[in-house]
Amino acid sequence: MSSDLLDALTALEQQKGISRDVLVEAIEAALVTAYKRNFNQAQNVRVDLNLENGSMKVYSRKDVVEEVEDDRLQVSLEEAKEVNPAYEVGDILEQEVTPKNFGRIAAQTAKQVVTQRVREAERGIIYEEFIDRTDDIVNGTIERMDSRNVYISLGKVEAALPVNEQIQGEVYKPQQRLKVYITKVERTTRGPQVIVSRTHPGLLRRLFEMEVPEIYEGVVEIKSIAREAGDRSKISVYAHDKDVDPVGSCVGAKGQRVQTIVNELNGEKIDIVEWSEDPVVFVANALSPSKVLDVQVDEEEKSTTVVVPDYQLSLAIGKRGQNARLAAKLTGWKIDIKSETNARELGIYPSESSTFLNQYDEDEEENESFDNVEYDLYQDDEE
């Protein structure tokens, strides 16, 4: 090997970002392999590579023992002392065994192994880069698609967007730019496997962090998210500064901030509500845009009974129960919705704890009544 080896390793370190020590280790391992394979040797050997002049030496390594059982791996104490009187049983005797014609064979073998190790090192660097970005949002470009996955280029690696992580009805096209959320990074024989999502609630969280400075700076906190990707989501927010309007901060002037996020999610509706430690207030807020007359809380069952005006019952429940279902997910409370008429018939409304009794005009036009429906956070078939 020539003295140009040092320059080559330095160039690889600068261009590929691979540590010189990693490359030296790969070369030494290649030389050991080449020596054993081409010279039919089974003894333990060590290769010493001199980066300054590109030279190399092969040393056999034998254990110093009292009685030799395998002369390929062991040497007697008597023989070892002939080399150096300081040797004792248990030491390792090293002797140079570099073949005269080893250079050409070693160079060929080393090139193949080093190439593989360089590839593995590059994969390791990519893995470490993306494992640190798990639960983060990234921009990518769609490269190709098959029957189940959409493959997205993230620059150094290709990520997979599985069918169960795709927004239903969303159309994907080659070369389309897309924001995705990294859910998992795994090591495989082919390199790092990155799994991304368009449906994960974390995507919505990261989008708000990007668009709302108050959230990014920690003035406004996202407390919880309930999402049915591609259709509707609810997000609860809280301001640590009493002078800051958390909902207004997220909506932005003329709704520009939230509209940017809606556009990124291709029209997904987003309800932004204010979080409260009081379940009465929080549940009422979560059922927005429906009006609420009363919220009655059962702490032991972690459930609530919500009374809404008759004409608001269908709005409170939502299409296919979506509004109530998302509110239950958002708050973590079971929600049993009753119309005002039904609640009066049952004698549970008005009650002494009726918080919202005077909030709305009870003389508004009456509409068709519906049976009360219960939505349970823990019994959602769609999850």
Side-chain angles (χ1 to χ4, degrees), residues 181-194:
Y181 182 80
I182 298 177
T183 60
K184 185 188 300 183
V185 180
E186 298 177 331
R187 291 185 186 272
T188 71
T189 55
R190 296 183 178 182
Q193 175 64 62
V194 180

Side-chain angles (χ1 to χ4, degrees), residues 1-16 18 20 23-24 27 50-54:
M1 295 189 180
S2 69
S3 58
D4 292 337
L5 180 61
L6 178 61
D7 294 335
L9 296 183
T10 302
L12 281 172
E13 186 173 40
Q14 293 174 349
Q15 295 172 11
K16 300 291 187 179
I18 304 171
R20 185 189 304 175
L23 295 172
V24 170
I27 294 173
N50 188 322
L51 293 180
E52 298 301 325
N53 56 29

Side-chain angles (χ1 to χ4, degrees), residues 125-137:
I125 291 171
I126 294 173
Y127 174 81
E128 293 299 330
E129 176 183 344
F130 280 92
I131 194 67
D132 290 339
R133 301 189 70 178
T134 304
D135 299 327
D136 200 1
I137 192 172

Side-chain angles (χ1 to χ4, degrees), residues 274 276 278-288 290-297 304-309 311 340 344 348-362 364:
E274 186 170 0
S276 174
D278 183 349
V280 172
V281 177
F282 189 22
V283 169
N285 290 346
L287 284 170
S288 173
S290 170
K291 298 176 181 179
V292 172
L293 296 176
D294 190 21
V295 178
Q296 299 171 17
V297 176
T304 61
T305 299
V306 179
V307 181
V308 299
Y311 72 96
E340 180 182 357
R344 289 183 184 276
I348 62 173
Y349 179 80
S351 67
E352 294 181 359
S353 61
S354 293
T355 307
F356 304 94
L357 179 61
N358 298 318
Q359 189 170 352
Y360 305 109
D361 185 2
E362 295 183 2
E364 295 192 48

Side-chain angles (χ1 to χ4, degrees), residues 144-151 161 166:
R144 58 193 176 93
M145 294 165 282
D146 59 26
S147 59
R148 292 190 59 83
N149 296 331
V150 175
Y151 297 95
L161 177 64
Q166 299 170 19

Side-chain angles (χ1 to χ4, degrees), residues 21-288:
D21 293 339
V22 171
L23 295 172
V24 170
E25 180 183 347
I27 294 173
E28 291 178 344
L31 296 179
V32 169
T33 302
Y35 176 79
K36 290 184 176 181
R37 182 172 66 245
N38 290 281
F39 294 91
N40 195 27
Q41 298 294 326
Q43 72 263 39
N44 291 329
V45 296
R46 177 181 67 85
V47 173
D48 182 27
L49 183 63
N50 188 322
L51 293 180
E52 298 301 325
N53 56 29
S55 67
M56 62 172 183
K57 293 183 179 181
V58 181
Y59 295 92
S60 67
R61 293 167 57 84
K62 294 184 178 182
D63 295 327
V64 178
V65 296
E66 289 283 1
E67 184 176 346
V68 176
E69 297 179 356
D70 187 341
D71 58 8
R72 296 173 303 174
L73 305 175
Q74 299 171 330
V75 62
S76 68
L77 178 61
E78 182 180 347
E79 291 181 22
K81 284 185 176 294
E82 291 178 1
V83 177
N84 188 333
Y87 277 115
E88 297 180 358
V89 172
D91 291 340
I92 295 177
L93 172 64
E94 288 193 346
Q95 291 179 305
E96 185 180 351
V97 291
T98 309
K100 292 182 179 180
N101 61 340
F102 184 51
R104 180 181 59 82
I105 297 173
Q108 292 175 349
T109 305
K111 181 178 179 181
Q112 297 173 356
V113 178
V114 167
T115 299
Q116 178 63 26
R117 291 295 295 270
V118 168
R119 186 179 297 114
E120 291 174 357
E122 289 177 331
R123 289 173 176 174
I125 291 171
I126 294 173
Y127 174 81
E128 293 299 330
E129 176 183 344
F130 280 92
I131 194 67
D132 290 339
R133 301 189 70 178
T134 304
D135 299 327
D136 200 1
I137 192 172
V138 292
N139 289 305
T141 303
I142 296 177
E143 288 197 335
R144 58 193 176 93
M145 294 165 282
D146 59 26
S147 59
R148 292 190 59 83
N149 296 331
V150 175
Y151 297 95
I152 301 171
S153 172
L154 301 181
K156 296 180 180 179
V157 71
E158 185 179 72
L161 177 64
V163 65
N164 62 322
E165 299 291 350
Q166 299 170 19
I167 295 178
Q168 187 174 5
E170 194 168 56
V171 178
Y172 303 108
K173 300 178 181 179
Q175 301 308 309
Q176 176 185 348
R177 296 283 295 172
L178 203 64
K179 286 185 173 66
V180 292
Y181 182 80
I182 298 177
T183 60
K184 185 188 300 183
V185 180
E186 298 177 331
R187 291 185 186 272
T188 71
T189 55
R190 296 183 178 182
Q193 175 64 62
V194 180
I195 306 299
V196 296
S197 173
R198 286 280 290 172
T199 63
H200 198 285
L203 176 64
L204 191 59
R205 179 183 294 273
R206 295 302 186 194
L207 287 172
F208 270 97
E209 289 174 353
M210 291 172 61
E211 294 297 330
V212 183
E214 291 86 348
I215 293 178
Y216 181 79
E217 294 167 1
V219 177
V220 174
E221 178 184 355
I222 297 175
K223 285 290 190 176
S224 58
I225 295 175
R227 187 179 182 208
E228 294 187 359
D231 194 358
R232 189 170 187 172
S233 296
K234 287 182 180 285
I235 178 171
S236 68
V237 292
Y238 172 76
H240 294 282
D241 185 338
K242 64 180 181 180
D243 295 327
V244 175
D245 175 11
V247 175
S249 297
C250 294
V251 173
K254 298 182 180 180
Q256 289 181 348
R257 289 177 177 176
V258 72
Q259 188 59 50
T260 299
I261 298 172
V262 169
N263 292 341
E264 173 60 35
L265 299 177
N266 294 318
E268 182 175 317
K269 297 180 179 65
I270 302 174
D271 296 335
I272 306 170
V273 302
E274 186 170 0
W275 176 88
S276 174
E277 62 181 4
D278 183 349
V280 172
V281 177
F282 189 22
V283 169
N285 290 346
L287 284 170
S288 173

